[in-house]
Amino acid sequence: LLGLTGVEDRLQDHVRTTLELLGNAGVRVWMLTGDKVETATCVAVSARLVRRGQLVHVISGLRSASEVSAALETLRTLGDCCVVIDGDSLQVALDFYRDEFVRIAAALPAVVCCRCSPTQKADVVRVLQQHTGKRVLAVGDGGNDVSMIQAADVGVGLVGLEGRQASLAADFSVDQFSYLARLLLWHGRNSYKRSAKLAQFVIHRGLIISIMQVVFSALFYFAPIALFQGMLLVGYTTVYTMAPVFSLVLDRDVSDEIAMLYPELYAELTKGRALSLKTFFIWLLISIYQGGALMMLAVWLFDTDFIHVVSISFTGLVLNELLMVALEIRTWHRWMIWSILGSLAIYVASIWVLPAYFDVMFILSAAFVWKTVVITAVSAVPLYIIKVIRRIYAPPAYAKLT
């Protein structure tokens, strides 16, 4: 040899730790690269995508359907292994045995597709979306990853030496691959749980006032009379309850240190317990109970002051919603406290501003105060007791860590 030149393509810092965290979080990792088989295998091993002692099965050079069928049969018998497949063999497998290949490969702990063109990377993403029904996140750092990033449900671009094409085309842009762990395990988990809670609470807020209207109409032979009108309806959905309800986006069940230390908490999200038909019907039952209790008790306790039924029931409704928000909060934030106290102050001030809906002298009476407290307590306290009992005898996973 007259001369020999070598170029080392080093991994970024903490790549191994990040992949280990994602694996413990239940995330299946596929590596799609344009490198040769040998280079791709070395990178997979050095990144610990392949566990210690795990078999690496290489599939390359396949040209016909019969060869792919024999390779898939061999792969099915190997079980727990990492498969490395080149671009030509991958294309033949997708052309003739797409369903079977995806079913077998998706069950493996790690898959490496090498010698892939940008179009093949995007095709693999689409195939996984169609045949697994799972959400696919694509991570890339170069221009040849743009099509893959855009085809995925969520795209993450790395700002690296190959330019900013990937980061500009992605949904999220990060400087290092290691930031992906915090993006998913902390921010992603919080986003899912907060969105689920907020969506269901907004549904509850609309259902409970509808149930009160139904009960009111049923008590008076379904007369076409609106219980709440004008500024009360506008105020209920805005200044009286909007800020406390939307402050739930600041809530968190665990700290960021615990979320990163126990990635298994992220795997719990795949069970869909935070947002499902079951949780929807639970909130539906809560709305029916609370709406019925507020309306029935307002009519029963204030039977001699029925002319004030609007101010009675509406006061109980607003207090119930503010109390429900407080009961749903796991970690208090100062803006949560200010939103609840501020909304309550606005409601109290509006009693004097809206004399057409409220009788100030009646509201300031002792009878109104203690009866309204009873109505609100009957509506909210039983649900809190049930919540405490469930937390004692069937605590969620995060409660065992705090």
Side-chain angles (χ1 to χ4, degrees):
L1 295 176
L2 297 178
L4 182 65
T5 301
V7 178
E8 182 182 9
D9 189 7
R10 298 185 61 183
L11 293 174
Q12 292 185 355
D13 296 334
H14 310 298
V15 171
R16 302 178 181 87
T17 306
T18 302
L19 289 176
E20 185 177 358
L21 285 173
L22 295 179
N24 292 336
V27 178
R28 296 294 179 90
V29 180
W30 284 40
M31 188 176 83
L32 311 180
T33 178
D35 295 335
K36 296 188 297 182
V37 173
E38 296 79 6
T39 306
T41 304
C42 292
V43 171
V45 173
S46 62
R48 293 184 186 172
L49 188 60
V50 181
R51 298 193 302 268
R52 186 184 301 274
Q54 188 178 43
L55 174 65
V56 178
H57 181 65
V58 178
I59 301 176
S60 62
L62 304 184
R63 295 292 185 270
S64 63
S66 58
E67 293 177 336
V68 172
S69 177
L72 291 179
E73 187 63 30
T74 303
L75 185 60
R76 186 184 293 107
T77 60
L78 293 177
D80 185 24
C81 69
C82 172
V83 61
V84 179
I85 183 171
D86 66 352
D88 295 335
S89 303
L90 175 64
Q91 191 61 49
V92 177
L94 294 179
D95 290 340
F96 294 99
Y97 295 95
R98 173 170 298 196
D99 295 343
E100 186 176 0
F101 170 75
V102 174
R103 184 174 63 254
I104 296 174
L108 298 176
V111 178
V112 178
C113 302
C114 53
R115 283 299 186 189
C116 289
S117 65
T119 303
Q120 278 185 319
K121 293 181 180 181
D123 290 341
V124 170
V125 169
R126 296 188 187 97
V127 167
L128 289 175
Q129 290 172 326
Q130 296 171 0
H131 293 269
T132 64
K134 305 294 184 181
R135 296 291 180 266
V136 178
L137 181 145
V139 185
D141 63 349
N144 56 351
D145 298 320
V146 171
S147 58
M148 173 186 67
I149 290 174
Q150 293 179 337
D153 296 296
V154 180
V156 177
L158 299 177
V159 180
L161 300 177
E162 298 187 31
R164 294 180 176 269
Q165 296 96 327
S167 62
L168 293 175
D171 301 299
F172 300 93
S173 178
V174 295
D175 291 334
Q176 296 184 24
F177 183 82
S178 59
Y179 296 165
L180 189 64
R182 186 174 180 85
L183 179 64
L184 290 177
L185 304 185
W186 174 241
H187 297 290
R189 183 176 181 274
N190 282 340
S191 177
Y192 175 79
K193 295 184 75 68
R194 290 167 176 174
S195 299
K197 180 183 291 187
L198 179 61
Q200 293 173 123
F201 211 95
V202 169
I203 293 173
H204 161 74
R205 187 180 63 168
L207 279 174
I208 188 172
I209 194 171
S210 302
I211 296 299
M212 293 182 69
Q213 177 65 59
V214 170
V215 174
F216 175 77
S217 299
L219 291 175
F220 296 97
Y221 306 99
F222 296 98
I225 303 174
L227 178 59
F228 306 126
Q229 301 179 11
M231 293 301 298
L232 294 185
L233 280 178
V234 176
Y236 175 71
T237 56
T238 54
V239 294
Y240 297 151
T241 61
M242 185 176 67
V245 170
F246 279 88
S247 70
L248 290 173
V249 299
L250 301 175
D251 192 21
R252 60 183 186 180
D253 51 3
V254 296
S255 63
D256 54 344
E257 292 84 3
I258 292 179
M260 298 299 295
L261 186 61
Y262 298 97
E264 293 79 8
L265 291 173
Y266 185 86
E268 287 285 321
L269 302 183
T270 59
K271 300 178 181 179
R273 293 177 178 174
L275 184 62
S276 62
L277 283 177
K278 179 182 177 181
T279 58
F280 170 76
F281 282 110
I282 289 176
W283 279 102
L284 177 61
L285 293 176
I286 291 174
S287 302
I288 294 174
Y289 165 74
Q290 291 187 327
L294 288 170
M295 197 66 247
M296 295 294 291
L297 288 175
V299 174
W300 179 52
L301 291 179
F302 294 90
D303 55 343
T304 59
D305 301 296
F306 189 72
I307 191 174
H308 303 296
V309 66
V310 173
S311 59
I312 296 166
S313 57
F314 191 76
T315 302
L317 174 63
V318 172
L319 293 178
N320 176 79
E321 285 302 291
L322 297 181
L323 186 58
M324 285 294 293
V325 171
L327 295 180
E328 283 296 314
I329 294 174
R330 300 188 183 98
T331 304
W332 283 89
H333 190 278
R334 64 179 183 274
W335 289 111
M336 296 176 176
I337 300 174
W338 284 114
S339 65
I340 294 176
L341 295 179
S343 299
L344 182 60
I346 291 174
Y347 178 69
V348 172
S350 66
I351 294 176
W352 279 267
V353 178
L354 302 173
Y357 301 99
F358 302 103
D359 185 348
V360 178
M361 297 304 298
F362 172 72
I363 291 176
L364 294 179
S365 64
F368 175 85
V369 174
W370 76 262
K371 289 182 179 180
T372 303
V373 171
V374 170
I375 292 174
T376 308
V378 172
S379 175
V381 171
L383 300 177
Y384 177 72
I385 295 174
I386 294 174
K387 182 179 179 180
V388 171
I389 293 175
R390 286 190 59 188
R391 190 178 180 88
I392 294 175
Y393 293 101
Y398 66 86
K400 303 172 185 178
L401 304 174
T402 55

